[in-house]
């Protein structure tokens, strides 16, 4: 066993090859990231998630909510910008589509890492260090995969006509290849707007409830500053985006990242980059080693192969992993709402599926 582990360790690229990722490191990162859904199994089985509504009141591993939230969200754009600034071709040499996709990613996380915790949220409960650390690892891994993809790495996948690399079937793009990125950008904007609107509404509900409670108390009983909003939660009213589900902000974020993946069909691998004279044999961009897709990734690879589209593999993995990570949280969150406000308060709404008590 020890000899096998030593052999595997010796075959890995040196640590410097991951900053930014080389083609070999890119394959390892993608292969690792595609199996993230397996790690979420325990999330379905255990309600333990010491953050937000379910944070632990006292723990020496608690991190102040705003700081922890910002730290775990801002890792992604910082790592992406760092990798794209160091890699070859440089960010300025990449096609406009690659630059746009990078910008969309950074815009999302600027809102999540700066605007949301420090300007929108009335308060944030402490976040356990384990939650913060795992989220930082997730975002580092995700952004590293996206960096390799935007640098034009092609990754062969045996068993498919285009080797799963996303190489174009012909030099002239089809109408589908031209329209999908436009649809993707529109979906991204719609999803981000809906996510911000839904989350802002939740913050407003909490603020209004806190103000009502404060109005019933004397000035000496009202906590100062953000403490007034601490652990003040209300169930969203049955109207608007909350009419049939309790977590529309999750659904809108999934729409956002689905749009991101569709916009990513305009990001070409090495073969296409070379045709545009952005990359050449001497730029350092290359073909990653062979990768076998996980079963849940195969439909996306098949669709890209069938329609001759570039495969935005890291973006596809991001959508899959985001849903796999957030879905069990939404399900446990609905259960929390039932326990806190009763079935009457929940009013038959689902977590993310309209009027579905299980989901």
């Amino acid at each position: 066993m020890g000899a096998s582990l030593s052999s595997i360790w010796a075959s890995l690229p040196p640590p410097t090859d991951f900053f930014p990722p080389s083609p070999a490191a890119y394959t390892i990162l993608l292969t690792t990231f595609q199996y993230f859904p397996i790690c979420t199994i325990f999330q379905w089985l255990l309600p333990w998630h010491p953050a937000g509504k379910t944070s632990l009141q006292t723990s020496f591993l608690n991190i102040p909510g705003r700081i922890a939230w910002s730290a775990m969200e801002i890792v992604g754009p910082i790592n992406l910008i760092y990798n794209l600034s160091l890699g070859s071709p440089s960010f300025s040499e990449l096609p406009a589509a690659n630059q746009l996709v990078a910008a969309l990613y950074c815009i999302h996380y600027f809102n999540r890492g700066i605007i949301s915790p420090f300007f929108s949220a009335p308060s944030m409960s402490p976040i356990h260090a384990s939650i913060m650390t795992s989220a930082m690892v997730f975002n580092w891994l995700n952004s590293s995969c996206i960096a390799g993809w935007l640098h034009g790495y092609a990754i062969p996948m045996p068993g498919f006509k285009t080797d799963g690399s996303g190489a174009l079937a012909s030099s002239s793009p089809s109408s589908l290849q031209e329209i999908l990125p436009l649809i993707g950008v529109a979906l991204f904007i719609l999803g981000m707007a809906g996510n911000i609107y839904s989350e802002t509404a939740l913050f407003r509900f909490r603020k209004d409830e806190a103000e009502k409670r404060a109005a019933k108390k004397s000035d000496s009983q009202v906590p100062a500053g953000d403490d007034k909003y601490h652990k003040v939660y209300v169930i969203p009213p049955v109207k608007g985006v909350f009419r049939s589900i309790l977590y529309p902000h999750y659904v809108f974020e999934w729409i956002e990242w689905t749009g991101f993946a569709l916009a990513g069909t305009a990001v070409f691998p090495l073969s296409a980059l070379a045709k545009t004279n952005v990359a050449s044999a001497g730029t350092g961009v290359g073909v990653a080693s062979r990768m076998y897709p996980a079963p849940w990734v195969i439909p996306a690879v098949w669709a890209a192969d069938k329609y001759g589209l570039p495969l935005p593999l890291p973006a596809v993995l991001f959508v899959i992993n985001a849903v796999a990570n957030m879905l069990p949280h939404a399900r446990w969150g609905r259960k929390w709402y039932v326990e806190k406000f009763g079935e009457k308060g929940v009013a038959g709404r689902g977590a993310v599926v309209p009027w579905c008590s299980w989901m």
Side-chain angles (χ1 to χ4, degrees), residues 3-344:
S4 299
L5 291 175
S6 298
S7 176
I8 294 173
W9 182 261
S11 65
L12 294 175
T16 53
D17 278 16
F18 291 86
F19 304 95
S22 65
Y26 178 61
T27 302
I28 293 171
L29 293 171
L30 274 179
T31 302
T32 302
F33 197 49
Q34 73 170 342
Y35 286 105
F36 172 79
I38 294 176
C39 300
T40 66
I41 292 176
F42 81 94
Q43 294 175 290
W44 287 95
L45 302 175
L46 301 173
W48 191 81
H49 186 74
K53 294 189 292 290
T54 54
S55 64
L56 302 175
Q57 288 294 319
T58 56
S59 173
F60 73 96
L61 291 176
N62 276 351
I63 309 294
R66 297 185 193 277
I67 294 173
W69 186 268
S70 180
M72 65 192 200
E73 296 287 342
I74 210 68
V75 163
I78 289 177
N79 186 54
L80 181 66
I81 292 169
Y82 172 79
N83 285 335
L84 291 181
S85 64
L86 289 183
S88 179
S90 66
F91 179 79
S92 61
E93 296 174 316
L94 292 174
N98 299 46
Q99 294 176 349
L100 174 61
V101 168
L104 293 178
Y105 180 91
C106 291
I107 289 170
H108 169 89
Y109 278 103
F110 175 76
N111 173 67
R112 297 295 291 165
I114 303 296
I115 302 298
S116 184
F118 294 113
F119 297 97
S120 295
S123 69
M124 281 194 164
S125 296
I127 297 175
H128 198 270
S130 63
I131 300 296
M132 185 187 74
T133 303
S134 60
M136 292 176 74
V137 171
F138 177 95
N139 285 324
W140 174 82
L141 191 56
N142 182 38
S143 57
S144 294
C145 290
I146 290 174
W149 168 50
L150 294 180
H151 271 138
Y153 294 163
I155 187 156
M157 293 185 181
F160 300 95
K161 287 179 298 193
T162 59
D163 289 331
S165 68
L168 297 177
S170 63
S171 57
S172 57
S174 66
S175 57
L176 184 61
Q177 293 165 10
E178 293 177 340
I179 196 172
L180 273 185
L182 299 178
I183 294 174
V185 172
L187 278 178
F188 182 92
I189 294 172
L190 172 66
M192 185 171 181
N195 176 265
I196 293 174
Y197 173 82
S198 304
E199 193 171 67
T200 301
L202 287 172
F203 294 154
R204 186 175 67 253
F205 298 151
R206 290 182 59 199
K207 288 179 180 178
D208 291 346
E209 178 63 21
E211 296 295 342
K212 289 179 183 178
R213 295 183 187 183
K216 297 177 181 179
K217 300 177 180 179
S218 64
D219 292 342
S220 61
Q221 293 176 311
V222 178
D226 288 353
D227 290 341
K228 178 169 62 175
Y229 307 108
H230 181 65
K231 289 295 182 180
V232 175
Y233 296 107
V234 296
I235 191 163
V238 187
K239 63 180 183 180
V241 293
F242 298 96
R243 184 174 299 278
S244 60
I245 58 176
L246 295 166
Y247 288 83
H249 47 307
Y250 282 17
V251 175
F252 277 118
E253 184 164 345
W254 298 340
I255 292 173
E256 186 180 357
W257 294 125
T258 299
F260 181 78
L262 292 178
T265 57
V267 175
F268 302 130
L270 173 65
S271 56
L273 285 173
K275 291 177 183 178
T276 62
N277 295 320
V278 174
S280 63
T283 61
V285 180
V287 178
S289 52
R290 183 172 295 186
M291 171 181 164
Y292 292 87
W296 44 86
V297 180
I298 290 176
V301 180
W302 173 86
D305 185 74
K306 178 176 175 61
Y307 295 104
L309 296 168
L311 175 63
L313 184 56
V316 170
L317 293 181
F318 191 9
V319 176
I320 293 171
N321 292 346
V323 174
N325 180 46
M326 297 164 72
L327 192 56
H329 290 319
R331 184 168 177 265
W332 284 114
R334 185 190 186 280
K335 186 175 183 295
W336 182 90
Y337 274 122
V338 171
E339 293 173 350
K340 186 80 171 178
F341 302 100
E343 284 289 354
K344 185 177 180 180

